[in-house]
Amino acid sequence: MTQQSAGGAGLSRSALFAYGLPGLPLAALGVPLYVYLPPFYAEEMGLGLAAVGAALLVARVWDLLTDPLMGRLSDAFPTRWGRRRPWMLLGVPLLLISAWFLFQPPPGVGVFYLAGWTMLLYLGSTMILLPYSAWGAELSKSYNERSRITAWREAFVVVGTVAAAALPSFTGEDRALTLLWLLIAVIILLPPGVAITCFAVQEPRLRPPPPLPWRRSLAILLRNGPFLRLVSAYFLNGIAVGLPATLFLLFVKFALDAESWTGPLLLTYFACGIAALPLWLRLAAQIGKHRAWCTAMALACAVFVWVPFLGPGDTWAFLVICVLSGFALGADLALPPAIQADVVDLDSLRSGQERAGVYFGLWGVATKLALALAVGLSFPLLALAGFDPAADETGGVWALSLLYGLAPVVFKVAAVALVWRFPITAQRQLRIRTLIDRRAARRSTVPET
């Protein structure tokens, strides 16, 4: 079990490693759902793009609905094993079974098969990911230690994402083989990863007070100004991050004419994101998490404004942009969830509840909506500008460059404006935690009837 003193001593590296482990296979599983699975079912399984798109849209709407529900459930049922661990352990077999049927379909399956197993896979993923994220917010009461916890988790997530994205380099164009190897990797890594986390990492034992009426509970949440400001900024920044992620392959191929550089550029970007994590943690400890995150977003803006000026042959210049924007990625990954943990403290003070699951459920909705909106904005606008990747002579590359490089700057500037004067600083968070701990101490002295 991990140990943390009341004085705020940090978790050991072994504890952080144990907590971060599930992030790797979960991230590796996310890549095929966005990249490999749609063309596999559309082409190899013969369902067609329209049917696959409709099935995955239904599954995504289902996924959005289950996030807040799972957050509420993981808050509401304390057990001798804690509130988070049971759901994670239950989610593993559901996720693996649904992934097996989804990644290894028999011949002749239809759209309902794809939609049904995708919905079950999303449910299993939510049962693991949402309690897992909420648990991370509860592992420490320390303002700065929370950044360290999320940094370790997100480092594993980046490694899993890169590994899954690099797999086609070894399997070639065989999508079925790629999905098989991803499935094998998840089967091998996910169960022991979750088991190690559940047995090696301590979950705080909380004595839950009587539940609040739902109207009062909702009113407290809606009056949580810092949360509304943070989730709005996170949503805007999510669109800003989602646009380049959605358009990266197209930009490298059609704007830079450097398709062979795709792998090295992606690897550089993510490697710089991991390498920069310690620097952002240090800066966050000095100037505050919200100011450090704003600094990272400003760095990304200063870098991306040059993208529309690039063209064929400017690959080395774009490599520099990947390095600098990769550094900014480290803060985007680690700091917002750590700030969210501080927002949950404010809710705990006002409501008397410990409901990180509810907040991270809404956080998940914002994340997924931002990614969906990035796709929903970019592709229709590109089509309107005359960009057609299947055409012999592709027009509208200027629109691709603007959407890839300039549009994210607009969203990030809006996010910075929301977060720059964020009210929960290290000093205020310490005061909030002190009040919560005093109330908990008074409760513990009251004998149960």
Short mmCIF file of all heavy atoms in Angstrom, two decimals, residues 25-75:
data_model
loop_
_atom_site.label_atom_id
_atom_site.label_comp_id
_atom_site.label_asym_id
_atom_site.label_seq_id
_atom_site.Cartn_x
_atom_site.Cartn_y
_atom_site.Cartn_z
N PRO A 25 -2.70 0.54 -21.37
CA PRO A 25 -3.60 -0.26 -22.22
C PRO A 25 -4.91 0.45 -22.54
O PRO A 25 -5.47 0.24 -23.63
CB PRO A 25 -3.85 -1.53 -21.38
CG PRO A 25 -3.54 -1.14 -19.97
CD PRO A 25 -2.45 -0.12 -20.07
N LEU A 26 -5.41 1.29 -21.64
CA LEU A 26 -6.64 2.01 -21.94
C LEU A 26 -6.44 2.99 -23.09
O LEU A 26 -7.31 3.15 -23.95
CB LEU A 26 -7.14 2.74 -20.69
CG LEU A 26 -7.72 1.84 -19.59
CD1 LEU A 26 -7.94 2.65 -18.32
CD2 LEU A 26 -9.01 1.17 -20.04
N ALA A 27 -5.29 3.66 -23.11
CA ALA A 27 -5.00 4.58 -24.21
C ALA A 27 -4.78 3.82 -25.52
O ALA A 27 -5.23 4.24 -26.59
CB ALA A 27 -3.76 5.41 -23.88
N ALA A 28 -4.10 2.67 -25.43
CA ALA A 28 -3.88 1.86 -26.63
C ALA A 28 -5.19 1.37 -27.21
O ALA A 28 -5.34 1.23 -28.43
CB ALA A 28 -2.98 0.67 -26.29
N LEU A 29 -6.17 1.14 -26.36
CA LEU A 29 -7.49 0.71 -26.83
C LEU A 29 -8.24 1.85 -27.50
O LEU A 29 -9.05 1.62 -28.40
CB LEU A 29 -8.30 0.18 -25.65
CG LEU A 29 -9.65 -0.45 -25.96
CD1 LEU A 29 -9.46 -1.72 -26.80
CD2 LEU A 29 -10.38 -0.78 -24.68
N GLY A 30 -7.97 3.09 -27.07
CA GLY A 30 -8.69 4.22 -27.63
C GLY A 30 -8.34 4.51 -29.08
O GLY A 30 -9.19 4.96 -29.86
N VAL A 31 -7.10 4.24 -29.47
CA VAL A 31 -6.66 4.55 -30.84
C VAL A 31 -7.46 3.78 -31.89
O VAL A 31 -7.94 4.38 -32.87
CB VAL A 31 -5.14 4.28 -30.99
CG1 VAL A 31 -4.72 4.37 -32.45
CG2 VAL A 31 -4.35 5.28 -30.15
N PRO A 32 -7.64 2.46 -31.74
CA PRO A 32 -8.39 1.76 -32.80
C PRO A 32 -9.83 2.21 -32.93
O PRO A 32 -10.40 2.17 -34.03
CB PRO A 32 -8.32 0.28 -32.35
CG PRO A 32 -7.97 0.31 -30.92
CD PRO A 32 -7.10 1.51 -30.75
N LEU A 33 -10.44 2.66 -31.84
CA LEU A 33 -11.83 3.10 -31.91
C LEU A 33 -11.99 4.32 -32.79
O LEU A 33 -13.03 4.53 -33.42
CB LEU A 33 -12.36 3.39 -30.50
CG LEU A 33 -12.48 2.18 -29.57
CD1 LEU A 33 -12.93 2.60 -28.19
CD2 LEU A 33 -13.42 1.14 -30.15
N TYR A 34 -10.96 5.16 -32.83
CA TYR A 34 -11.02 6.37 -33.65
C TYR A 34 -10.39 6.19 -35.03
O TYR A 34 -10.83 6.82 -36.00
CB TYR A 34 -10.31 7.52 -32.93
CG TYR A 34 -11.05 8.03 -31.72
CD1 TYR A 34 -10.66 7.66 -30.44
CD2 TYR A 34 -12.15 8.87 -31.84
CE1 TYR A 34 -11.34 8.12 -29.32
CE2 TYR A 34 -12.84 9.34 -30.73
CZ TYR A 34 -12.43 8.95 -29.48
OH TYR A 34 -13.11 9.40 -28.36
N VAL A 35 -9.35 5.36 -35.12
CA VAL A 35 -8.53 5.32 -36.34
C VAL A 35 -8.74 4.05 -37.15
O VAL A 35 -8.98 4.11 -38.37
CB VAL A 35 -7.04 5.47 -35.97
CG1 VAL A 35 -6.17 5.40 -37.22
CG2 VAL A 35 -6.80 6.78 -35.23
N TYR A 36 -8.64 2.88 -36.53
CA TYR A 36 -8.60 1.63 -37.28
C TYR A 36 -9.97 0.98 -37.47
O TYR A 36 -10.23 0.37 -38.51
CB TYR A 36 -7.67 0.62 -36.58
CG TYR A 36 -6.30 1.15 -36.27
CD1 TYR A 36 -5.69 0.88 -35.05
CD2 TYR A 36 -5.60 1.91 -37.20
CE1 TYR A 36 -4.42 1.36 -34.77
CE2 TYR A 36 -4.35 2.41 -36.93
CZ TYR A 36 -3.75 2.13 -35.69
OH TYR A 36 -2.51 2.61 -35.42
N LEU A 37 -10.83 1.08 -36.49
CA LEU A 37 -12.08 0.34 -36.52
C LEU A 37 -13.04 0.84 -37.61
O LEU A 37 -13.63 0.01 -38.32
CB LEU A 37 -12.76 0.40 -35.15
CG LEU A 37 -13.68 -0.76 -34.81
CD1 LEU A 37 -12.88 -2.05 -34.67
CD2 LEU A 37 -14.43 -0.48 -33.51
N PRO A 38 -13.26 2.16 -37.77
CA PRO A 38 -14.22 2.60 -38.79
C PRO A 38 -13.89 2.11 -40.20
O PRO A 38 -14.76 1.53 -40.87
CB PRO A 38 -14.16 4.13 -38.69
CG PRO A 38 -13.76 4.39 -37.26
CD PRO A 38 -12.80 3.30 -36.94
N PRO A 39 -12.64 2.29 -40.71
CA PRO A 39 -12.38 1.78 -42.07
C PRO A 39 -12.42 0.25 -42.15
O PRO A 39 -12.78 -0.30 -43.20
CB PRO A 39 -10.98 2.32 -42.39
CG PRO A 39 -10.36 2.64 -41.08
CD PRO A 39 -11.48 3.04 -40.19
N PHE A 40 -12.08 -0.44 -41.06
CA PHE A 40 -12.12 -1.90 -41.07
C PHE A 40 -13.55 -2.40 -41.29
O PHE A 40 -13.80 -3.26 -42.14
CB PHE A 40 -11.57 -2.44 -39.75
CG PHE A 40 -11.73 -3.93 -39.58
CD1 PHE A 40 -10.96 -4.82 -40.32
CD2 PHE A 40 -12.67 -4.45 -38.71
CE1 PHE A 40 -11.11 -6.20 -40.18
CE2 PHE A 40 -12.84 -5.82 -38.56
CZ PHE A 40 -12.05 -6.70 -39.29
N TYR A 41 -14.51 -1.85 -40.55
CA TYR A 41 -15.90 -2.27 -40.71
C TYR A 41 -16.50 -1.74 -42.01
O TYR A 41 -17.35 -2.39 -42.62
CB TYR A 41 -16.73 -1.82 -39.51
CG TYR A 41 -16.73 -2.83 -38.38
CD1 TYR A 41 -15.74 -2.83 -37.42
CD2 TYR A 41 -17.73 -3.80 -38.29
CE1 TYR A 41 -15.72 -3.76 -36.39
CE2 TYR A 41 -17.74 -4.74 -37.26
CZ TYR A 41 -16.72 -4.72 -36.31
OH TYR A 41 -16.71 -5.64 -35.31
N ALA A 42 -16.08 -0.56 -42.42
CA ALA A 42 -16.64 0.02 -43.64
C ALA A 42 -16.17 -0.73 -44.89
O ALA A 42 -16.97 -0.97 -45.81
CB ALA A 42 -16.26 1.49 -43.74
N GLU A 43 -14.90 -1.12 -44.91
CA GLU A 43 -14.33 -1.72 -46.12
C GLU A 43 -14.24 -3.24 -46.01
O GLU A 43 -14.89 -3.97 -46.77
CB GLU A 43 -12.96 -1.10 -46.40
CG GLU A 43 -13.02 0.40 -46.67
CD GLU A 43 -11.65 1.04 -46.77
OE1 GLU A 43 -10.67 0.32 -47.04
OE2 GLU A 43 -11.55 2.27 -46.57
N GLU A 44 -13.43 -3.74 -45.07
CA GLU A 44 -13.23 -5.18 -44.96
C GLU A 44 -14.53 -5.94 -44.63
O GLU A 44 -14.79 -7.00 -45.17
CB GLU A 44 -12.18 -5.52 -43.91
CG GLU A 44 -10.76 -5.51 -44.43
CD GLU A 44 -10.16 -4.11 -44.42
OE1 GLU A 44 -10.94 -3.14 -44.36
OE2 GLU A 44 -8.94 -3.98 -44.46
N MET A 45 -15.35 -5.37 -43.72
CA MET A 45 -16.60 -6.03 -43.34
C MET A 45 -17.77 -5.63 -44.24
O MET A 45 -18.86 -6.16 -44.11
CB MET A 45 -16.94 -5.72 -41.88
CG MET A 45 -15.86 -6.13 -40.88
SD MET A 45 -15.37 -7.87 -41.02
CE MET A 45 -16.90 -8.70 -40.59
N GLY A 46 -17.54 -4.65 -45.12
CA GLY A 46 -18.52 -4.32 -46.15
C GLY A 46 -19.75 -3.56 -45.68
O GLY A 46 -20.78 -3.57 -46.35
N LEU A 47 -19.67 -2.86 -44.55
CA LEU A 47 -20.85 -2.15 -44.06
C LEU A 47 -21.04 -0.79 -44.72
O LEU A 47 -22.15 -0.25 -44.70
CB LEU A 47 -20.75 -1.96 -42.54
CG LEU A 47 -20.73 -3.22 -41.68
CD1 LEU A 47 -20.79 -2.87 -40.20
CD2 LEU A 47 -21.86 -4.14 -42.05
N GLY A 48 -19.97 -0.20 -45.23
CA GLY A 48 -20.07 1.12 -45.84
C GLY A 48 -19.89 2.24 -44.83
O GLY A 48 -20.16 2.07 -43.63
N LEU A 49 -19.42 3.37 -45.32
CA LEU A 49 -19.10 4.48 -44.43
C LEU A 49 -20.34 5.04 -43.73
O LEU A 49 -20.29 5.38 -42.55
CB LEU A 49 -18.41 5.60 -45.22
CG LEU A 49 -16.95 5.34 -45.63
CD1 LEU A 49 -16.45 6.45 -46.55
CD2 LEU A 49 -16.07 5.23 -44.40
N ALA A 50 -21.46 5.15 -44.44
CA ALA A 50 -22.65 5.75 -43.85
C ALA A 50 -23.16 4.90 -42.68
O ALA A 50 -23.49 5.42 -41.61
CB ALA A 50 -23.73 5.91 -44.90
N ALA A 51 -23.23 3.58 -42.87
CA ALA A 51 -23.72 2.70 -41.81
C ALA A 51 -22.78 2.69 -40.61
O ALA A 51 -23.22 2.73 -39.46
CB ALA A 51 -23.89 1.28 -42.36
N VAL A 52 -21.47 2.64 -40.88
CA VAL A 52 -20.50 2.66 -39.79
C VAL A 52 -20.58 3.98 -39.03
O VAL A 52 -20.55 4.01 -37.79
CB VAL A 52 -19.07 2.43 -40.34
CG1 VAL A 52 -18.03 2.72 -39.26
CG2 VAL A 52 -18.93 1.01 -40.85
N GLY A 53 -20.69 5.09 -39.77
CA GLY A 53 -20.80 6.38 -39.11
C GLY A 53 -22.03 6.48 -38.23
O GLY A 53 -21.97 6.99 -37.11
N ALA A 54 -23.16 5.96 -38.70
CA ALA A 54 -24.39 6.00 -37.91
C ALA A 54 -24.26 5.13 -36.65
O ALA A 54 -24.68 5.54 -35.56
CB ALA A 54 -25.56 5.52 -38.76
N ALA A 55 -23.68 3.95 -36.80
CA ALA A 55 -23.52 3.05 -35.64
C ALA A 55 -22.62 3.67 -34.59
O ALA A 55 -22.92 3.62 -33.39
CB ALA A 55 -22.94 1.71 -36.11
N LEU A 56 -21.51 4.25 -35.02
CA LEU A 56 -20.58 4.84 -34.06
C LEU A 56 -21.13 6.12 -33.44
O LEU A 56 -20.80 6.45 -32.30
CB LEU A 56 -19.23 5.11 -34.74
CG LEU A 56 -18.48 3.85 -35.22
CD1 LEU A 56 -17.14 4.22 -35.85
CD2 LEU A 56 -18.26 2.87 -34.07
N LEU A 57 -21.98 6.83 -34.18
CA LEU A 57 -22.63 8.02 -33.61
C LEU A 57 -23.58 7.62 -32.48
O LEU A 57 -23.59 8.25 -31.41
CB LEU A 57 -23.37 8.79 -34.69
CG LEU A 57 -24.17 10.01 -34.21
CD1 LEU A 57 -23.23 11.05 -33.59
CD2 LEU A 57 -24.96 10.63 -35.37
N VAL A 58 -24.36 6.58 -32.70
CA VAL A 58 -25.26 6.09 -31.66
C VAL A 58 -24.46 5.66 -30.43
O VAL A 58 -24.82 5.97 -29.28
CB VAL A 58 -26.11 4.92 -32.19
CG1 VAL A 58 -26.87 4.24 -31.05
CG2 VAL A 58 -27.09 5.42 -33.25
N ALA A 59 -23.36 4.95 -30.67
CA ALA A 59 -22.53 4.49 -29.56
C ALA A 59 -21.91 5.67 -28.81
O ALA A 59 -21.79 5.65 -27.58
CB ALA A 59 -21.43 3.57 -30.08
N ARG A 60 -21.54 6.71 -29.54
CA ARG A 60 -20.94 7.88 -28.89
C ARG A 60 -21.95 8.63 -28.04
O ARG A 60 -21.62 9.11 -26.94
CB ARG A 60 -20.33 8.80 -29.94
CG ARG A 60 -19.69 10.06 -29.39
CD ARG A 60 -18.63 9.75 -28.36
NE ARG A 60 -17.44 9.16 -28.93
CZ ARG A 60 -16.46 8.62 -28.20
NH1 ARG A 60 -16.56 8.59 -26.88
NH2 ARG A 60 -15.41 8.10 -28.78
N VAL A 61 -23.19 8.75 -28.52
CA VAL A 61 -24.24 9.39 -27.71
C VAL A 61 -24.46 8.58 -26.43
O VAL A 61 -24.59 9.15 -25.33
CB VAL A 61 -25.54 9.51 -28.52
CG1 VAL A 61 -26.69 9.99 -27.63
CG2 VAL A 61 -25.35 10.48 -29.69
N TRP A 62 -24.52 7.28 -26.54
CA TRP A 62 -24.63 6.40 -25.37
C TRP A 62 -23.47 6.64 -24.41
O TRP A 62 -23.65 6.72 -23.20
CB TRP A 62 -24.67 4.96 -25.85
CG TRP A 62 -24.29 3.92 -24.84
CD1 TRP A 62 -23.08 3.29 -24.74
CD2 TRP A 62 -25.11 3.35 -23.81
NE1 TRP A 62 -23.08 2.38 -23.70
CE2 TRP A 62 -24.32 2.40 -23.11
CE3 TRP A 62 -26.42 3.56 -23.40
CZ2 TRP A 62 -24.81 1.66 -22.05
CZ3 TRP A 62 -26.91 2.83 -22.33
CH2 TRP A 62 -26.11 1.90 -21.66
N ASP A 63 -22.28 6.78 -24.97
CA ASP A 63 -21.09 7.00 -24.15
C ASP A 63 -21.19 8.30 -23.35
O ASP A 63 -20.80 8.37 -22.18
CB ASP A 63 -19.87 7.02 -25.07
CG ASP A 63 -18.55 7.02 -24.30
OD1 ASP A 63 -18.50 6.41 -23.20
OD2 ASP A 63 -17.58 7.60 -24.79
N LEU A 64 -21.73 9.34 -23.98
CA LEU A 64 -21.90 10.61 -23.29
C LEU A 64 -22.88 10.49 -22.12
O LEU A 64 -22.69 11.09 -21.07
CB LEU A 64 -22.40 11.68 -24.27
CG LEU A 64 -21.40 12.18 -25.32
CD1 LEU A 64 -22.10 13.11 -26.29
CD2 LEU A 64 -20.23 12.90 -24.66
N LEU A 65 -23.92 9.70 -22.30
CA LEU A 65 -24.94 9.56 -21.26
C LEU A 65 -24.43 8.76 -20.07
O LEU A 65 -24.85 8.99 -18.93
CB LEU A 65 -26.19 8.88 -21.84
CG LEU A 65 -26.95 9.67 -22.92
CD1 LEU A 65 -28.08 8.83 -23.49
CD2 LEU A 65 -27.48 10.98 -22.35
N THR A 66 -23.54 7.80 -20.33
CA THR A 66 -23.09 6.93 -19.24
C THR A 66 -22.06 7.60 -18.34
O THR A 66 -21.88 7.17 -17.19
CB THR A 66 -22.49 5.62 -19.79
OG1 THR A 66 -21.40 5.92 -20.66
CG2 THR A 66 -23.55 4.82 -20.54
N ASP A 67 -21.38 8.63 -18.81
CA ASP A 67 -20.34 9.26 -17.99
C ASP A 67 -20.89 9.84 -16.69
O ASP A 67 -20.40 9.49 -15.60
CB ASP A 67 -19.62 10.34 -18.80
CG ASP A 67 -18.41 9.79 -19.53
OD1 ASP A 67 -18.38 8.57 -19.76
OD2 ASP A 67 -17.51 10.57 -19.87
N PRO A 68 -21.88 10.75 -16.74
CA PRO A 68 -22.39 11.29 -15.47
C PRO A 68 -23.07 10.22 -14.61
O PRO A 68 -23.00 10.28 -13.38
CB PRO A 68 -23.38 12.38 -15.91
CG PRO A 68 -23.64 12.15 -17.34
CD PRO A 68 -22.48 11.41 -17.90
N LEU A 69 -23.70 9.23 -15.25
CA LEU A 69 -24.34 8.16 -14.47
C LEU A 69 -23.29 7.34 -13.73
O LEU A 69 -23.45 7.05 -12.53
CB LEU A 69 -25.15 7.26 -15.40
CG LEU A 69 -25.81 6.04 -14.75
CD1 LEU A 69 -26.79 6.48 -13.68
CD2 LEU A 69 -26.50 5.17 -15.80
N MET A 70 -22.21 6.99 -14.41
CA MET A 70 -21.16 6.22 -13.76
C MET A 70 -20.49 7.02 -12.66
O MET A 70 -20.12 6.49 -11.61
CB MET A 70 -20.12 5.80 -14.81
CG MET A 70 -19.06 4.83 -14.30
SD MET A 70 -19.77 3.24 -13.89
CE MET A 70 -19.54 3.21 -12.14
N GLY A 71 -20.33 8.33 -12.88
CA GLY A 71 -19.77 9.18 -11.85
C GLY A 71 -20.61 9.18 -10.59
O GLY A 71 -20.09 9.06 -9.47
N ARG A 72 -21.91 9.26 -10.77
CA ARG A 72 -22.81 9.24 -9.62
C ARG A 72 -22.78 7.90 -8.90
O ARG A 72 -22.75 7.83 -7.67
CB ARG A 72 -24.25 9.56 -10.10
CG ARG A 72 -25.30 9.53 -9.00
CD ARG A 72 -25.15 10.71 -8.08
NE ARG A 72 -26.11 10.66 -6.99
CZ ARG A 72 -25.86 10.16 -5.78
NH1 ARG A 72 -24.66 9.65 -5.53
NH2 ARG A 72 -26.76 10.17 -4.84
N LEU A 73 -22.79 6.81 -9.65
CA LEU A 73 -22.78 5.48 -9.05
C LEU A 73 -21.48 5.22 -8.27
O LEU A 73 -21.51 4.65 -7.19
CB LEU A 73 -22.96 4.42 -10.14
CG LEU A 73 -24.35 4.32 -10.77
CD1 LEU A 73 -24.34 3.32 -11.92
CD2 LEU A 73 -25.39 3.92 -9.73
N SER A 74 -20.36 5.66 -8.83
CA SER A 74 -19.09 5.39 -8.15
C SER A 74 -18.92 6.24 -6.90
O SER A 74 -18.12 5.91 -6.03
CB SER A 74 -17.91 5.63 -9.10
OG SER A 74 -17.72 7.00 -9.36
N ASP A 75 -19.68 7.32 -6.79
CA ASP A 75 -19.69 8.12 -5.56
C ASP A 75 -20.61 7.52 -4.50
O ASP A 75 -20.36 7.65 -3.30
CB ASP A 75 -20.17 9.55 -5.85
CG ASP A 75 -19.12 10.41 -6.53
OD1 ASP A 75 -17.93 10.05 -6.48
OD2 ASP A 75 -19.49 11.43 -7.11
#
